[in-house]
Amino acid sequence: MERRGRGTGAAGEGEAPGAASGVEPGRLRGRFRSHIARSGLIEPGDVVLVAVSGGLDSVVLLHLLRFALAGPAPRLAAAHFDHAMRPGSEADADWVAGLCAAWGLPLERGRADPAPRSEAEARAARYRFLHEAAERVGANRIATAHHADDQAETVLFRIIRGTGLRGLAGIPERRGPIVRPLLPFRRVELAAYARATGLRFREDPTNLVLGYARNRLRHDVLPRLERIAPGASMALVRLAEEARAAEAAWDSLLERIEGEVASIDASGVELARSELLSYHPHVRARLLRRLLRRFGSHPDRAGTRAALEFIRDGASGGHIDVTGGVRLEREFDRIRVRPGPRRAETAAVDRPLIIAHPEHGEGVATIGGRRLAVEWVLGREAAAPAAVAFDLSALRFPLELRRWRPGDRIRLPYGTKKLKKLFGERRIGRSARAATPVLADAAGEVLWVAGIARAAGTEPAPGASALYLRVRDVGSG
């Protein structure tokens, strides 16, 4: 089986550097299988599009997914995108095509036209191609070969640029359909595996050019840090894990605090000023940025500070405009956050979201002026932070995420209750009710009222198949 991974030596091909030829690859294959099974990133019934540049990392990922998984395996296809940013790059695509033919895998090929002018443009073009290719082959997962050293490099790069805690979280293991199965593994391990199995790969000469900031971090700064403090790279990886956990904790707390101090309707957000000011300044800043993101506003530190100073000291009847065309107004002890005069007329109407089938997916809903990013995955353990799980056997598709309607009822352990009464008991105002997502099934039965209640009998049993739903704010409608 490994023999199929060997290719004839050709210009631009390389062997894994710095790895002993006697390395036993079985251990890494076992760890990879365990990680896939434990994380739920890829399930046996998935269709996975693997991004393959032809470099060491992506060739190892493709080989592991093709040959290392035990039991029922996912259906695989590969994708190669030629950025056309250097002479001879089309040869990489031909090489990847030969590799996929040898391994019996279909390949989606793409080429930039015109060539991107920057790394940011190249990245955007690459991911646009991957999403389009996934649609063509019917893939519900897109696997990329980011590994632990990429994570360390990303975290360090963001640190020196002055990131906050959210930026320290680094590269997510899952974002929508994109999964990164190699994040727990070091590049030296992948190199050892490639050498032990005889894998060939393509060398991209631009990866060695120290004029690029990331290349300098990869080839100069991080190796120096390792010599000064052995284990520095994995310490950065652990920092990312801690930051992701902290962000998930913040999200859960801010959702509760938002319910205490904010009333949301289609025209904007109203804040109880005294209650907001009772919290620590850092909590105020986080909550304000969370609310402003609903309107597509992402203020920097100075903009956030100015907005908070207005909330604390601004005169009644005054206002302040913040980035993104959003206005904060004060009337006595209430703060109103709404689109500014030039944006108010473009406010969007509600757009419910339909989950048609029991399969992985993502989408966007607009409910009561809130623009919500929605992800849903199938699995047997939590697949995303702050996800709510539903017993798959208890669901009647299609499901609909929408605002509440008069007459809606939810089944609780002691009987059914109207949502209107439930809102009243929780002291949730009319404007906040209009912006609260409700999940209903094909018969119109309410399964979940976000942040308030879920229907009895929808909780999955331990180990049972479940639908995991995650809803988060991404801006205004």
Side-chain angles (χ1 to χ4, degrees):
M1 181 170 67
E2 308 302 345
R3 201 169 294 135
R4 299 177 67 188
R6 297 187 175 93
T8 57
E13 288 188 348
E15 292 187 352
S21 59
V23 170
E24 170 54 51
R27 183 178 178 188
L28 187 136
R29 283 199 298 265
R31 288 173 56 213
F32 182 77
R33 284 195 295 267
S34 297
H35 173 60
I36 293 297
R38 182 175 61 254
S39 67
L41 289 176
I42 297 173
E43 300 284 355
D46 287 340
V47 180
V48 183
L49 182 73
V50 187
V52 183
S53 67
L56 166 67
D57 312 331
S58 62
V59 169
V60 169
L61 174 62
L62 188 66
H63 191 270
L64 288 168
L65 290 172
R66 175 67 178 86
F67 300 114
L69 295 183
R75 183 160 65 86
L76 300 178
H80 177 87
F81 185 68
D82 180 3
H83 299 94
M85 295 176 72
R86 58 179 171 81
S89 62
E90 64 275 7
D92 291 346
D94 294 335
W95 188 90
V96 171
L99 179 72
C100 291
W103 291 356
L105 295 173
L107 174 66
E108 291 286 317
R109 294 175 62 161
R111 180 178 171 84
D113 184 19
R117 294 169 296 179
S118 67
E119 288 297 313
E121 282 189 14
R123 182 181 184 278
R126 179 171 65 252
Y127 277 99
R128 186 165 55 249
F129 161 75
L130 289 174
H131 283 285
E132 292 170 353
E135 287 190 14
R136 288 194 295 270
V137 302
N140 63 318
R141 287 285 176 266
I142 299 171
T144 68
H146 295 89
H147 48 70
D149 294 78
D150 292 323
Q151 184 73 288
E153 173 192 315
T154 297
V155 173
L156 182 58
F157 186 64
R158 292 180 179 178
I159 288 173
I160 62 180
R161 293 184 66 184
T163 189
L165 183 61
R166 188 178 295 274
L168 289 180
I171 305 169
E173 192 171 53
R174 177 196 301 268
R175 176 174 287 162
I178 297 172
V179 294
R180 299 178 172 97
L182 294 183
L183 271 184
F185 301 91
R186 295 293 307 273
R187 191 174 195 272
V188 66
E189 299 178 273
L190 307 182
Y193 178 85
R195 183 154 185 131
T197 55
L199 292 178
R200 300 281 185 173
F201 52 91
R202 301 286 288 184
E203 295 279 11
D204 182 350
T206 62
N207 288 336
L208 301 176
V209 177
L210 295 184
Y212 296 115
R214 284 185 175 272
N215 285 353
R216 184 164 294 178
L217 289 177
R218 183 181 305 132
H219 299 298
D220 185 13
V221 177
L222 276 171
R224 290 185 184 217
L225 284 177
E226 285 289 344
R227 289 195 292 272
I228 296 170
S233 294
M234 291 311 295
L236 290 168
V237 172
R238 289 192 296 274
L239 177 62
E241 293 170 354
E242 291 291 332
R244 281 196 300 277
E247 282 297 306
W250 267 109
D251 284 343
S252 64
L253 289 172
L254 288 174
E255 184 173 352
R256 178 179 60 79
I257 295 171
E258 182 182 294
E260 296 174 356
V261 305
S263 299
I264 304 166
D265 58 30
S267 62
V269 177
E270 189 172 275
L271 298 172
R273 177 175 168 276
S274 295
E275 293 181 25
L276 177 62
L277 293 177
S278 70
Y279 286 96
H280 187 279
H282 189 67
V283 177
R284 297 178 213 160
R286 281 222 169 215
L287 180 60
L288 180 62
R289 286 195 295 268
R290 172 186 170 98
L291 293 169
L292 289 174
R293 281 197 297 271
R294 286 203 176 95
F295 300 89
S297 175
H298 301 274
D300 58 14
R301 286 185 176 87
T304 301
R305 184 167 58 250
L308 290 171
E309 288 174 354
F310 170 77
I311 291 172
R312 187 188 63 202
D313 301 324
S316 180
H319 71 267
I320 182 175
D321 292 325
V322 298
T323 183
V326 180
R327 173 166 291 186
L328 275 65
E329 302 168 337
R330 180 179 174 188
E331 292 184 4
F332 301 106
D333 206 37
R334 312 297 291 182
I335 301 293
R336 187 77 182 172
V337 185
R338 64 179 184 83
R342 285 179 292 182
R343 289 192 56 190
E345 61 189 40
T346 64
V349 297
D350 271 11
R351 292 187 178 89
L353 178 75
I354 301 297
I355 302 176
H357 306 289
E359 58 188 21
H360 306 303
E362 63 177 353
V364 175
T366 302
I367 298 173
R370 296 174 66 183
R371 189 165 182 266
L372 307 169
V374 187
E375 302 172 46
W376 59 97
V377 298
L378 304 182
R380 298 181 185 274
E381 60 182 51
V388 58
F390 298 93
D391 183 353
L392 196 58
S393 65
L395 302 179
R396 292 174 289 183
F397 289 85
L399 309 180
E400 182 181 18
L401 191 73
R402 56 170 173 80
R403 75 159 65 194
W404 83 285
R405 298 169 181 165
D408 274 345
R409 305 181 71 93
I410 187 168
R411 186 176 68 256
L412 300 175
Y414 50 82
T416 64
K417 178 173 288 189
K418 285 188 174 183
L419 295 197
K420 181 178 180 180
K421 185 173 183 181
L422 187 65
F423 286 137
E425 292 173 347
R426 301 295 181 89
R427 303 182 66 81
I428 297 171
R430 293 178 181 272
S431 57
R433 298 177 192 185
T436 300
V438 169
L439 184 69
D441 67 10
E445 183 175 339
V446 174
L447 305 173
W448 178 58
V449 184
I452 298 173
R454 64 177 299 153
T458 60
E459 304 87 347
S465 295
L467 178 79
Y468 290 89
L469 180 72
R470 183 185 180 203
V471 178
R472 58 188 177 86
D473 287 289
V474 293
S476 67

